[in-house]
């Protein structure tokens, strides 16, 4: 009888172990998958006839009164509740935007570069406190680590202005894009003065994520475009997303043109500064950004604990609510947390918001630079998201962030 009991107990322990190992809450990599298959077709299901009428009215007003020109997607509790396109993809040719239109994501790209860096950290390929000189021995600044780049605390100058000055004063070819490696070589050669010593303060600028893009290429032996395609876009199911660099393409193969200064007169031609990637350079749609959001929540790209680290404020709070993590801007208040990023580059202006408590995602991609994205308070309120606008907490208005 004792032998029979022992056998039964052993079988029970085996069954419990099997059940634990095959739990739908985790996949083979130990990543949470919410117990559900990751089906992009299901994620992107949307019936326009059932779209939120109040959001439609708000967006029509934002388009007609505030001049928003672009695409929008709003989702709540894992379901798209509104999608829309407003205005021109290219005013000169009178091409209208569609929901399939690909936009240059500008600094929204940083959210994906940060995700790629955290992937490499999970795989043991890099350490967050590793010095840039470990990868680029000629890098002219001491004490700049991957962690400081991720959090905009490197103290570096902004390479955009530095390189622009070199190209203009030396009359270099402005139509051919330079690569990240070439940008790093220019920094090594000219040793431009830093803004500040490393880790002294938060100073947002594109140099940090351009250098991270160069590190991704150095560590993986792949181009940034290929690494992102194989390790971010494909696993997430982002089928309408790609990296396009002027160092590779004479003409970027998308139809959406950026327009600056709130005027159709100023359509922005891509140039040598559209070569470096990582700080910008990813082109995508509102739907694919939502897929990216859902892939992160499902643990398809990096582990939940890694995401928690990326979403942790790594800088002192600005106006009591705003900070920056690893490639993400952060809004926090008691019981609320919104992870987001803005974008502003060559006639494109965006905001991508992920409300972690209320499970709301808002994506607004625009190709007309104006103040329309400063008028989103009512949209935030009707979705249940906190008002994510720095000026809302001081009454002094917002400043440029990108």
């Amino acid at each position: 009888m004792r032998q029979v009991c022992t056998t039964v107990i052993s079988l029970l322990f085996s069954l419990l172990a099997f059940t634990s190992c095959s739990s739908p809450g985790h996949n083979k990599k130990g990543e949470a998958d919410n117990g559900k298959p990751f089906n992009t077709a299901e994620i992107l299901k949307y019936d326009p006839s059932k779209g939120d009428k109040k959001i439609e009215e708000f967006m029509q007003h934002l388009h007609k009164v505030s001049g928003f020109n672009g695409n929008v997607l709003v989702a709540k509790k894992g379901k798209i509740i509104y999608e829309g396109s407003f205005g021109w993809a290219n005013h000169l040719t009178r091409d209208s935007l569609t929901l399939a239109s690909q936009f240059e994501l500008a600094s929204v790209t940083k959210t994906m570069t940060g995700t790629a860096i955290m992937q490499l950290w999970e795989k043991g390929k890099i350490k967050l406190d590793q010095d840039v000189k470990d990868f680029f021995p000629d890098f002219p600044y001491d004490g700049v680590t991957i962690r400081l780049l991720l959090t905009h605390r490197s103290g570096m100058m902004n390479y955009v202005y530095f390189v622009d000055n070199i190209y203009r004063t030396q009359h270099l070819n402005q139509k051919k894009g330079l690569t990240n490696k070439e940008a790093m070589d220019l920094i090594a050669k000219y040793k431009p003065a830093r803004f500040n010593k490393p880790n002294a303060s938060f100073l947002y600028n594109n140099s940090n994520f351009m250098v991270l893009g160069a590190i991704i290429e150095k560590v993986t032996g792949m181009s940034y475009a290929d690494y992102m395609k194989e390790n971010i876009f494909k696993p997430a199911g982002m089928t309408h997303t790609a990296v396009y660099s002027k160092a590779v393409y004479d003409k970027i193969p998308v139809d959406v043109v950026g327009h600056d200064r709130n005027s159709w007169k100023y359509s922005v031609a891509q140039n040598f500064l559209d070569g470096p990637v990582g700080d910008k350079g990813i082109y995508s749609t509102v739907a694919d950004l939502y897929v990216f959001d859902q892939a992160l929540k499902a643990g398809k790209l990096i582990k939940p604990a890694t995401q928690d680290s990326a979403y942790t404020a790594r800088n002192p709070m600005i106006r009591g609510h705003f900070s920056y993590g690893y490639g993400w801007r952060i809004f926090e208040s008691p019981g609320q947390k919104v992870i987001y990023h803005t974008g502003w580059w060559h006639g494109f202006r965006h905001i991508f918001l992920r409300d972690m408590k209320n499970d709301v995602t808002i994506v607004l991609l625009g190709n007309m630079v104006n103040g329309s994205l400063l008028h989103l308070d009512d949209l935030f309120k009707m979705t249940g998201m906190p008002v994510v606008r720095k000026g809302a907490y001081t009454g002094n208005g917002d400043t440029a962030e990108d």
Side-chain angles (χ1 to χ4, degrees), residues 220-235:
T220 65
M222 303 170 70
S223 69
Y224 175 84
D226 286 344
Y227 181 86
M228 299 303 285
K229 179 180 179 180
E230 295 301 321
N231 295 276
I232 302 292
F233 308 153
K234 279 188 176 180

Side-chain angles (χ1 to χ4, degrees), residues 51-71:
D52 190 292
K53 303 303 181 187
K54 289 184 178 180
I55 297 178
E56 167 68 19
E57 290 174 8
F58 172 85
M59 288 307 306
Q60 289 290 349
H61 185 270
L62 194 71
H63 172 57
K64 294 173 182 176
V65 176
S66 299
F68 174 74
N69 193 93
N71 288 356

Side-chain angles (χ1 to χ4, degrees), residues 34-205:
N34 298 336
K36 299 177 182 178
F38 191 75
N39 185 329
T40 53
E42 189 67 27
I43 288 168
L44 294 176
K45 271 187 177 179
Y46 174 67
D47 182 352
S49 68
K50 297 179 180 177
D52 190 292
K53 303 303 181 187
K54 289 184 178 180
I55 297 178
E56 167 68 19
E57 290 174 8
F58 172 85
M59 288 307 306
Q60 289 290 349
H61 185 270
L62 194 71
H63 172 57
K64 294 173 182 176
V65 176
S66 299
F68 174 74
N69 193 93
N71 288 356
V72 58
L73 180 149
V74 181
K76 192 166 187 175
K77 306 296 183 186
K79 298 291 183 184
I80 298 173
I81 60 174
Y82 182 77
E83 281 183 325
S85 278
F86 300 87
W88 305 108
N90 184 344
H91 184 260
L92 183 64
T93 58
R94 295 298 195 274
D95 291 334
S96 296
L97 288 167
T98 71
L99 286 171
S101 294
Q102 289 178 296
F103 292 73
E104 212 292 14
L105 291 186
S107 288
V108 175
T109 294
K110 293 178 173 69
T111 66
M112 298 180 200
T113 300
T115 301
I117 287 289
M118 299 312 289
Q119 276 186 345
L120 294 174
W121 173 78
E122 281 188 347
K123 295 172 183 176
K125 302 290 186 182
I126 59 173
K127 297 177 182 177
L128 295 187
D129 290 319
Q130 210 165 350
D131 198 287
V132 175
K133 285 190 172 184
D134 290 349
F135 311 99
F136 297 96
D138 294 335
F139 189 69
Y141 314 118
D142 293 324
V144 176
T145 65
I146 290 175
R147 191 189 305 274
L148 295 182
L149 295 171
L150 283 168
T151 56
H152 294 286
R153 298 185 65 85
S154 71
M156 288 182 68
M157 54 45 229
N158 194 327
Y159 86 93
V160 170
Y161 303 118
F162 157 68
V163 170
D164 183 63
N165 183 62
I166 290 175
Y167 267 67
R168 294 183 187 282
T169 57
Q170 298 185 15
H171 306 290
L172 301 178
N173 180 6
Q174 295 190 22
K175 293 183 179 179
K176 175 66 175 175
L178 79 161
T179 65
N180 288 54
K181 176 61 167 58
E182 289 167 343
M184 295 295 286
D185 288 343
L186 287 175
I187 292 170
K189 179 180 179 180
Y190 290 97
K191 301 175 176 60
R194 301 181 307 197
F195 282 139
N196 210 339
K197 63 182 181 181
N199 207 28
S201 63
F202 173 77
L203 183 64
Y204 181 95
N205 81 64

Side-chain angles (χ1 to χ4, degrees), residues 38 40 43-44 105 108-116 119 228 231-233 235-239 241 282 284-302 307 311 327-328 352 354 361 363:
F38 191 75
T40 53
I43 288 168
L44 294 176
L105 291 186
V108 175
T109 294
K110 293 178 173 69
T111 66
M112 298 180 200
T113 300
T115 301
Q119 276 186 345
M228 299 303 285
N231 295 276
I232 302 292
F233 308 153
M238 299 165 68
T239 56
T241 303
I282 294 179
S284 191
T285 64
V286 289
D288 266 16
L289 280 174
Y290 180 52
V291 169
F292 176 55
D293 162 71
Q294 292 294 294
L296 284 168
K297 288 176 179 174
K300 299 300 178 183
L301 301 175
I302 53 177
Q307 292 180 62
Y311 305 157
W328 293 94
F352 171 38
R354 307 171 61 221
T361 305
V363 187

Side-chain angles (χ1 to χ4, degrees), residues 257-270:
V257 175
H259 300 84
D260 213 348
R261 306 185 216 177
N262 196 25
S263 173
W264 295 115
K265 295 179 182 178
Y266 297 104
S267 56
V268 182
Q270 288 132 343

